[in-house]
Amino acid sequence: MEVYLIRHGIAAERGTYTDDEQRPLVPKGIDKTTKVARSLVAKKISFDLILTSPLTRAYQTAEIMREVGLCQTVRTFAPLKPEGDIREWLTWLQTEENRQKYSSLALVGHQPNLGDWAEMLIWGTVKNQIVVKKAGIVGLILPDTDTPISRSTLFLLSSPKWII
């Protein structure tokens, strides 16, 4: 299974909204995210499902990906919130239905979580080494085993400027 960890695009500055969860993408973030999404479509990449943090900026990023044709289905998934736990996603992933149903997933979320999740899937521990830029992508191949922790293979780590 291929899993793409995608960080939300450029959003309004911290502190500009009383509820941080409501910070939206700014016009530059919408533009850059749209360019990244179109570039992925041009590279013939698509997703069976996009799971996204319910925070506004992540959901907007996921919707842009859907609108340009990367996927037809976007679902919010609370474990992708900033304080989310990879184990909740792994439990979701381990169900027989999900393992058989999906071959390519996109997870739209936040930094440092996405970098931490990538490190757990690759090395089995968080090393604070992988940084996912806004609208950046980490691509992983998960093995067909019960747990992908420390068994996944990194095939893509890119900032938006290298994708566009």
Side-chain angles (χ1 to χ4, degrees):
M1 170 185 295
E2 289 184 351
V3 173
Y4 294 82
L5 306 176
I6 303 170
R7 186 174 176 192
H8 64 78
I10 302 166
E13 292 293 322
R14 286 183 194 271
T16 56
Y17 284 74
T18 52
D19 181 358
D20 187 65
E21 293 189 5
Q22 299 302 314
R23 284 193 297 127
L25 297 180
V26 296
K28 183 178 179 180
I30 292 169
D31 181 58
K32 188 175 277 191
T33 301
T34 301
K35 287 177 181 174
V36 167
R38 287 183 179 147
S39 181
L40 294 175
V41 168
K43 291 173 177 37
K44 308 284 191 239
I45 293 172
S46 65
F47 312 123
D48 299 321
L49 174 66
I50 298 174
L51 294 175
T52 182
S53 160
L55 277 62
T56 300
R57 55 196 177 273
Y59 189 81
Q60 287 177 308
T61 298
E63 278 297 306
I64 289 169
M65 303 268 168
R66 184 190 61 74
E67 288 168 3
V68 301
L70 284 166
C71 185
Q72 293 182 355
T73 307
V74 171
R75 283 193 216 141
T76 58
F77 192 68
L80 286 165
K81 290 174 85 170
E83 67 278 1
D85 188 336
I86 190 172
R87 290 174 292 195
E88 291 182 58
W89 175 70
L90 289 171
T91 299
W92 175 89
L93 182 65
Q94 296 306 323
T95 66
E96 188 71 24
E97 176 187 353
N98 289 336
R99 288 196 64 78
Q100 291 181 357
K101 190 173 185 179
Y102 304 115
S103 61
S104 180
L105 293 174
L107 308 179
V108 180
H110 311 272
Q111 183 64 18
N113 291 54
L114 293 178
D116 294 349
W117 286 28
E119 291 175 1
M120 287 296 296
L121 292 167
I122 297 165
W123 299 309
T125 187
V126 174
K127 298 182 178 192
N128 298 310
Q129 297 299 306
I130 295 179
V131 176
V132 185
K133 297 286 191 180
K134 291 177 183 163
I137 301 175
V138 175
L140 301 167
I141 297 174
L142 276 57
D144 292 331
T145 61
D146 287 342
T147 179
I149 297 290
S150 77
R151 293 183 172 96
S152 299
T153 304
L154 177 71
F155 71 87
L156 175 66
L157 175 58
S158 185
S159 67
K161 73 177 181 179
W162 296 104
I163 298 170
I164 298 174

